[in-house]
Amino acid sequence: MARRKPITAKKPAEKDGKPAGKRQSNAERSAYFARREAAKVLRSALQGDARRRAIGSIKSLVYGPSVRNKKATFALVCETLKLIKEVMEEANVVSSKWKKQNELLYIITYDLLFGQQDLLTGDAEKHLMSKKDALQSALSRILKRKGLKNVADLMALDKTSELQKPRYVRVNTLKTDTESVISELRKQYVVQEDDTVPDFLILPPGADLHNHPLVKNGSVFLQGKGSSMPAVALDPKPGWEVIDACAAPGNKTVHLAALMKGKGKIIACELNKERVERLKNNVKLSGATNVKVKHEDFLNLDPTDPSHSKIRAILLDPSCSGSGTALDRLDHLLPSHNADGSGNVDAMRLRKLAAFQKRVLEHALSFPAVDRIVYSTCSIHQIENEDVVNSVLPLASSYGFELETPFPQWPRRGLPTFDGSEHLLRTDLVEDKEGFFIALFVRRENLEDRRRKKQRTTQKGKPLNFFVARLLKLV
């Protein structure tokens, strides 16, 4: 009778490179998940960069609600993009088997060379552990070529000086009031009210509010000053029907809802599926109930459709180069930034963006009942700003629109490239710590109607004042 082989327990299978049979410490688990979260953010950033249609900035992706270990993830993403690609290419350690996990390998390499080597667990980690000598040799060669003594010098070389930008906070008046927010925030910070944008607060640079209860429950939104100005410039009234043409991630959408006191209707359009989800999450967080999110291209909306016959205002903030917020968004860390090594702006990309921006602005002008249109970008380039506006002026005039001055007290206006550019608004990279652009189109007939109404009110008042004066004399 043949002897039966002894029964032995099967070795637990690994899931996602994580040993199932070994109990990990809290530090190991934290490091493990931070690497995975960083890899996910990095993949989204790199894929969006390759398509030139980012789902969100590196910062917004890291500080989204799905990322648990935000600080560790943020640090890993930034340092990885700065340095690891050069080391890995030098060492030539990425085989075809691991090509699809390239971003994760970047993160692990950072930890292997500069981070927590003792916490590396998983298949991808084991693969690179076997290549550790090659990676370290590559790093040494890079240091030698650059004439540097150590890694600290290399990291300093890659750093871009950051502007000391205040932390801006917009109070969500759908949920709370400015006085209550100021009272709460002053328990920790010095708080000032902005003198340009209502319900907008200024805190010291470096104030980290990402995990603050007011932010997590949607009572306040972390939003740059330039980003908060377009909705105020549009000036929608409660009860209006409004379109936010390129809405995600939704900060401007929910700002419009607050200005409209939650009344009326906002159609928020977004073409990208992943960005639609971020838009929906922000709308839900804000408590705005008058927003209808549409997963649709704004250019596909028919201006003659009866359902659009009452649209009074359109906010148009289309895809742009992002050059006005590139430093804050950390776009300088992405592969596309100065990819040719010359420091020149991608002229072809700017021309394509400008052509798209012109198309959507022309489309917005064709809605028959619209009174007000705001065209805004976070770009510093004339081709995306003044040139786009100037190119549509004849069409705008044929529809009865003219440029009006948003925020008349604001000192920085458009570049003097055409008559009327003084109506445009710019923010300055140095003075304002970001570069934004706003153009406000108002239908001429409505301007004249308001002037005539004001004149009639004044004229109606004259006889009354005359009779009052006569009566007083008689008395």
Side-chain angles (χ1 to χ4, degrees), residues 409-465:
Q409 74 280 15
W410 188 258
R412 286 170 280 285
R413 312 313 303 187
L415 301 178
T417 59
F418 63 90
D419 290 340
S421 64
E422 68 276 5
H423 294 294
L424 309 176
L425 182 149
R426 273 182 174 265
T427 65
D428 184 78
L429 273 174
V430 176
E431 294 290 331
D432 309 305
K433 309 298 187 290
E434 57 188 3
F436 270 79
F437 173 86
I438 298 175
L440 170 61
F441 294 84
V442 177
R443 204 180 288 270
R444 189 182 304 115
E445 292 91 332
N446 297 323
L447 280 174
E448 292 172 355
D449 286 345
R450 286 198 295 273
R451 292 180 187 130
R452 283 195 293 268
K453 184 177 180 180
K454 185 177 181 181
Q455 188 176 11
R456 284 197 300 269
T457 303
T458 304
Q459 289 174 344
K460 285 179 181 178
K462 283 182 180 178
L464 178 63
N465 292 336

Side-chain angles (χ1 to χ4, degrees), residues 220-380:
V220 302
F221 279 79
L222 305 180
Q223 186 173 356
K225 182 168 179 174
S227 174
S228 72
M229 294 172 78
V232 177
L234 190 65
D235 192 26
K237 304 303 180 187
W240 279 19
E241 292 191 14
V242 178
I243 293 177
D244 187 351
C246 307
N251 284 344
K252 296 182 182 69
T253 309
V254 298
H255 193 180
L256 290 172
L259 292 170
M260 295 165 65
K261 303 185 187 303
K263 300 176 181 178
K265 180 182 178 182
I266 300 170
I267 299 173
C269 296
E270 177 54 47
L271 180 59
N272 184 283
K273 183 178 179 181
E274 292 174 296
R275 288 170 63 87
V276 164
E277 293 307 310
R278 296 190 66 213
L279 171 60
K280 288 180 178 178
N281 289 338
N282 269 334
V283 170
K284 183 178 179 181
L285 180 65
S286 74
T289 57
N290 62 331
V291 177
K292 179 182 180 181
V293 175
K294 296 193 74 168
H295 180 199
E296 189 169 353
D297 188 342
F298 168 66
L299 288 169
N300 290 336
L301 297 188
D302 182 1
T304 64
D305 190 309
S307 65
H308 302 145
S309 62
K310 296 181 180 179
I311 300 297
R312 295 285 303 277
I314 297 177
L315 179 60
L316 186 59
D317 188 61
S319 298
C320 72
S321 65
S323 51
T325 58
L327 185 61
D328 190 49
R329 290 166 52 89
L330 303 177
D331 288 350
H332 59 283
L333 300 179
L334 293 169
S336 66
H337 184 77
N338 295 338
D340 62 357
S342 66
N344 295 326
V345 175
D346 187 342
M348 178 63 74
R349 183 189 176 210
L350 288 180
R351 285 195 293 272
K352 288 181 178 179
L353 283 168
F356 168 73
Q357 291 153 356
K358 180 182 177 183
R359 283 178 61 208
V360 291
L361 181 50
E362 289 174 341
H363 190 61
L365 290 165
S366 68
F367 282 74
V370 165
D371 292 340
R372 301 172 70 85
I373 298 170
V374 160
Y375 169 74
S376 66
T377 74
C378 54
S379 171
I380 61 174

Side-chain angles (χ1 to χ4, degrees), residues 69-131:
N69 196 342
K70 292 179 172 44
K71 288 186 178 180
T73 301
F74 184 69
L76 280 171
V77 170
C78 292
E79 299 304 336
T80 297
L81 285 169
K82 286 178 185 177
L83 180 59
I84 300 307
K85 183 178 180 181
E86 188 175 1
V87 175
M88 292 188 70
E89 288 177 349
E90 180 81 15
N92 193 25
V93 296
V94 182
S95 63
S96 57
K97 176 184 176 181
W98 297 101
K99 284 286 186 183
K100 292 183 179 179
Q101 298 190 54
N102 219 22
E103 297 82 11
L104 176 58
L105 296 184
Y106 288 0
I107 298 293
I108 298 170
T109 300
Y110 171 78
D111 258 359
L112 187 62
L113 295 177
F114 318 119
Q116 307 172 71
Q117 299 180 34
D118 57 327
L119 300 180
L120 292 173
T121 58
D123 287 345
E125 286 85 346
K126 289 176 182 177
H127 167 70
L128 285 179
M129 283 288 285
S130 69
K131 306 290 184 181

Side-chain angles (χ1 to χ4, degrees), residues 29-39 68-69 72-73 76 107:
R29 281 196 298 273
S30 179
Y32 179 89
F33 285 113
R35 284 195 296 272
R36 266 62 189 175
E37 288 183 326
R68 291 174 292 181
N69 196 342
T73 301
L76 280 171
I107 298 293

